């Protein structure tokens, strides 16, 4: 059992508030991913959970016990640092066994635990080497091994893959998913990469400016982003976000975009006529059709093999991306019309928050 | 044959050796001439007091030196002095560096004061210690002893070599502090935090993480200090003049005494050659340990 509970956690550096009241309930054996842009306070949050940073206010509980004032090594956590933070003067085996040595575990037991972890991570041939003699991916595995050996209740990862090249990152991502399955431990993982978040997480926590923006399963967040921030952050390529004004008639609602084109909305949102709204369309929900409501010129076509991205400059100057399978729907320079499936349309109000799709409220006046 | 300028680097076309030659030749002359002269003089009968004496004597100067108990006394004193000052400056320098690495009010001034002795000239600092601190009548230490009712120590008479060592150490501790402090500051913060999460705190953190990180800088401190400590002279000259008797005569001071007090250039040169050999033996071991330490 290992749950982690954050209750109105705040962090100030002097007068600068970096984490602005975070509430989060992390369940046992959950793989939770904190995702957000650089500088939003993810690392600070993780370091507060680890005990490396004091908590300015709020309560942190592990397994229901308040641990705000418990030393880092007594919280039963293990952390994998972005820089790996291996001890350069120790062999791989000594690196991995260091925590056990500090805890006074006898040598024989220590060695067997190190060997077990090395087997899981395929590090056995490298146990006698120094970290300096390993490749980036191997160092990463040693850092993970150092965490595994301690058999912690909770694993903390701070952007563990950001120093690896693309191919290795993908491989390690799969390995981490396997590891979570094998170890059956609670994992808290920090990243700015939404692909890692989508692929690894049981639940994603989207952080923005020191606050939690949205918590939910990856597909749930993908399908129902609560704000333009989440909508733009989760999903690759980015969701198309087009600003416009709401125009309601008695029987229909339309978004009038900057270039004057009208997009029919599926429902009548509970907003006033003329309110500034943003419509969001996933690139895969946008189609090139002759009778589309939007018009624009194709500027770039990117062939990614299995899929093709067509970037279109709308008449208003806004950019939109269309994702299709192998074949490009149009050539560069061509003028095309874009159609939107109203059911796959996201609608955000003047404050950038999502307008509930089921909201059928009649507008006043 | 025409070379294609765009594909070939210009490196092989120009011989760079002649360009290096002036400095290399200058340094070579700078080193070779005194060495050759010393070797030459060490095999001559050459006394400034006796113009009639002269001529080649082979290794007789060396034989004379090696049968002189003064040489071994001087060698032992040199080794004690160098080793003692090395240990003191590394241990105390380490303590100072750790202290100065902490956050406390007035840290900038404390750092400056701690480094300051390094910039005081050896003669000046020796005079300060001799007349203001260790003087049996006027010195601060004597005053403190008297105030406490303890017997007054005449430092340079009773503990001559130790007293010289204290002065030299006082000058070299700042150097060790400076090097070790910079090294401490380059210790990866993540590494320390990882160790904290692994349960290493206080002394154990120091023993398992900080000290291994400092190993390299400690080696460098030891190497550089050894080079300078082997030739300590001014501090001895100003305070004890090698005495009482020969109690604080080191190898460089012995050479000085023989050459400039006895005016025997032949013996002094032989002593110089022994000093060179000694320095090379030390250098050999140092370079070996260092290349081992730096080779990580
Ligand atoms: N020790 C510190 N002192 C002052 N400000 C800090 C400190 N550490 C981080 N910050 C600030 O807190 C904010 C969040 O930092 P961080 O948690 O590292 O962001 P992230 O990991 O999401 O990129 C940043 O704006 C950063 O400048
Ligand atoms: Mg970070």
């Amino acid at each position: 059992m290992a749950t982690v509970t954050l209750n109105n956690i705040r962090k100030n550096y002097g007068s600068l508030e970096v984490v602005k009241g975070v509430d989060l309930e992390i369940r046992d054996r959950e793989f939770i991913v904190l995702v957000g842009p650089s500088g939003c306070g993810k690392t600070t949050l993780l370091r507060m959970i680890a005990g490396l940073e004091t908590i300015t206010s709020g309560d942190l509980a592990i397994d229901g016990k308040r641990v705000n004032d418990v030393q880092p090594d007594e919280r039963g956590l293990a952390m994998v640092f972005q820089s790996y933070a291996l001890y350069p003067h120790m062999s791989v085996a000594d690196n991995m066994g260091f925590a056990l040595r500090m805890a006074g575990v006898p040598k024989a037991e220590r060695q067997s635990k190190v060997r077990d972890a090395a087997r899981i991570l395929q590090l056995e041939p490298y146990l006698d080497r120094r970290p300096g003699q390993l490749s980036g991916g191997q160092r990463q595995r040693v850092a993970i091994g150092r965490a595994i050996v301690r058999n912690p209740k909770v694993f903390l990862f701070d952007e563990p893959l950001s120093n690896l090249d693309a191919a290795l990152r993908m491989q390690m991502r799969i390995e981490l998913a396997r590891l979570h399955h094998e170890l059956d431990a609670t994992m808290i993982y920090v990243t700015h990469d939404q692909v890692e978040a989508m692929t690894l997480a049981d639940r994603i926590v989207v952080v923005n400016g020191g606050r939690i923006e949205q918590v939910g399963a990856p597909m749930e967040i993908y399908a129902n982003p609560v704000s333009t921030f989440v909508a733009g952050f989760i999903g690759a390529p980015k969701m198309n976000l087009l600003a416009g004004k709401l125009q309601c008639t008695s029987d229909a609602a339309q978004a009038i975009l900057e270039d004057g084109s009208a997009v029919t909305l599926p429902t009548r949102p509970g907003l006033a006529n003329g309110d500034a709204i943003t419509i969001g369309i996933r690139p895969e929900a946008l189609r090139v059709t002759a009778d589309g409501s939007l018009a624009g010129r194709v500027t770039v076509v990117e062939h990614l093999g299995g899929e093709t991205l067509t970037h279109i400059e709308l008449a208003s100057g806004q950019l939109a991306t269309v994702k299709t399978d192998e074949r490009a729907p149009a050539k560069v320079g061509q003028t095309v019309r874009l159609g939107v499936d109203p059911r796959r349309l996201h609608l955000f109000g003047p404050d950038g928050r999502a307008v509930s799709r089921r909201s059928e409220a009649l507008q006043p006046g | 044959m025409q070379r294609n300028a765009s594909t070939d680097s210009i490196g092989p076309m120009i011989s760079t050796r002649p360009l290096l030659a002036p400095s290399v030749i200058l340094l070579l002359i700078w080193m070779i001439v005194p060495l050759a002269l010393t070797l030459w003089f060490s095999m001559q009968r050459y006394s400034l007091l006796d113009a009639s004496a002269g001529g080649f004597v082979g290794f007789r100067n060396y034989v004379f030196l090696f049968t002189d108990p003064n040489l071994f006394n001087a060698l032992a004193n040199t080794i004690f002095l160098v080793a003692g000052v090395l240990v003191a400056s590394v241990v105390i320098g380490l303590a100072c560096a750790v202290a100065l690495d902490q956050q406390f009010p007035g840290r900038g001034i404390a750092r400056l004061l701690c480094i300051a002795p390094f910039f005081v000239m050896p003669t000046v600092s020796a005079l300060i210690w001799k007349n203001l601190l260790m003087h049996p009548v006027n010195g601060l230490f004597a005053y403190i002893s008297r105030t406490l009712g303890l017997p007054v120590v005449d430092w340079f008479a009773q503990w001559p070599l130790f007293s010289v060592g204290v002065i030299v150490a006082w000058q070299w501790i700042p150097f060790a502090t400076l090097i070790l402090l910079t090294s401490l500051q380059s210790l990866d913060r993540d590494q320390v935090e990882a160790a904290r999460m692994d349960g290493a705190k206080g002394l154990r953190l120091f023993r398992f993480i900080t000290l291994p990180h400092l190993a390299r800088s400690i080696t460098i401190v030891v190497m550089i200090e050894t080079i300078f400590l082997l030739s300590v002279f001014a501090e001895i000259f100003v305070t004890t003049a090698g005495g009482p008797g020969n109690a604080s005569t080191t190898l460089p001071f012995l050479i000085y005494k023989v050459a400039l007090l006895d005016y025997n250039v032949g013996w002094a040169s032989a002593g110089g050659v022994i000093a060179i050999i000694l320095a090379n033996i030390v250098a050999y071991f140092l370079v070996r340990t260092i290349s081992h330490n730096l080779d990580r």
Side-chain angles (χ1 to χ4, degrees), chain B residues 131-186:
Chain B
N131 295 322
L132 297 183
L133 297 174
M134 289 177 157
H135 196 281
V137 181
N138 305 322
L140 180 68
F141 297 162
Y143 171 77
I144 292 172
S145 314
R146 269 199 304 276
T147 316
L148 297 176
L150 297 169
V152 169
V153 180
D154 184 356
W155 291 93
F156 293 108
Q158 288 168 268
W159 306 92
L161 194 62
F162 173 80
S163 305
V164 170
V166 167
I167 299 173
V168 178
W170 182 75
Q171 291 175 338
W172 282 98
I173 286 168
F175 175 73
T177 307
L178 201 62
I179 302 275
L180 297 178
L181 180 61
T182 22
S183 180
L184 267 183
Q185 287 169 337
S186 75

Side-chain angles (χ1 to χ4, degrees), chain A residues 104-138:
Chain A
V105 175
K107 193 166 182 188
E109 189 185 339
R110 220 156 68 202
Q111 282 173 337
S112 89
K113 281 189 172 169
V114 167
R115 267 200 305 276
D116 288 346
R119 192 171 318 118
I120 296 176
L121 294 162
Q122 288 124 42
L123 279 172
E124 282 162 310
Y126 310 110
L127 282 176
D128 292 327
R129 292 210 197 163
R130 291 269 170 85
Q133 299 164 316
L134 300 178
S135 71
Q138 289 163 346

Side-chain angles (χ1 to χ4, degrees), chain A residues 22 33 63 78 111 168 218 227 270 280 299 330 360 363:
Chain A
V22 165
V33 175
D63 281 342
Q111 282 173 337
L168 211 50
S227 65
T299 53
E360 296 276 356
Q363 75 188 79

Side-chain angles (χ1 to χ4, degrees), chain A residues 245-274:
Chain A
K245 282 197 168 20
L246 182 66
Q247 191 180 63
C248 291
T249 56
S250 55
D251 55 348
Q254 283 185 318
I256 308 297
L257 301 186
E258 284 167 8
D259 59 356
S261 54
V263 176
T264 306
L265 303 179
T267 56
R268 280 174 44 174
L271 295 168
N273 221 347

Side-chain angles (χ1 to χ4, degrees), chain A residues 47 83 87 89 102 150, chain B residues 190 193 197-198 204 208:
Chain A
R47 287 166 53 82
S83 62
Y87 312 125
H89 54 279
M102 289 298 104
R150 298 181 51 193
Chain B
D190 281 355
E193 294 190 333
M197 297 217 55
D198 277 348
R204 288 203 299 179
F208 289 108

Side-chain angles (χ1 to χ4, degrees), chain A residues 120-297:
Chain A
I120 296 176
L121 294 162
Q122 288 124 42
L123 279 172
E124 282 162 310
Y126 310 110
L127 282 176
D128 292 327
R129 292 210 197 163
R130 291 269 170 85
Q133 299 164 316
L134 300 178
S135 71
Q138 289 163 346
R139 282 182 216 184
Q140 180 60 72
R141 286 213 288 275
V142 176
I144 295 172
R146 196 167 61 178
I148 291 178
V149 165
R150 298 181 51 193
N151 193 22
K153 290 191 273 189
V154 183
F155 283 88
L156 308 175
F157 295 92
D158 188 4
E159 311 213 7
L161 307 186
S162 60
N163 289 340
L164 303 178
D165 63 52
L168 211 50
R169 204 177 307 161
M170 179 146 168
Q171 187 192 328
M172 284 304 295
R173 216 166 64 206
I174 294 165
E175 210 152 313
L176 277 172
R178 176 180 66 90
L179 216 57
H180 176 236
H181 190 72
E182 252 172 62
L183 298 174
D184 241 356
T186 309
M187 293 188 171
I188 308 177
Y189 186 104
V190 160
T191 179
H192 64 264
D193 180 3
Q194 61 91 26
V195 177
E196 283 171 30
M198 290 295 287
T199 51
L200 287 172
D202 291 326
R203 278 194 306 160
I204 292 178
V205 178
V206 184
V207 184
N208 183 22
R211 284 201 181 81
I212 291 185
E213 194 89 8
Q214 188 172 5
V215 182
M219 283 320 289
E220 186 186 321
I221 289 191
Y222 184 80
N224 298 308
V226 298
S227 65
T228 49
F229 175 82
V230 178
F233 199 82
I234 299 290
K238 263 177 69 132
M239 183 190 278
N240 298 301
L241 292 167
L242 304 172
K245 282 197 168 20
L246 182 66
Q247 191 180 63
C248 291
T249 56
S250 55
D251 55 348
Q254 283 185 318
I256 308 297
L257 301 186
E258 284 167 8
D259 59 356
S261 54
V263 176
T264 306
L265 303 179
T267 56
R268 280 174 44 174
L271 295 168
N273 221 347
D275 269 351
I277 56 170
T278 305
I279 58 169
I281 315 149
R282 294 272 177 212
E284 56 269 31
L286 208 53
R287 286 279 164 264
V288 174
T289 55
D291 58 349
S293 47
L294 300 168
R297 197 173 56 85

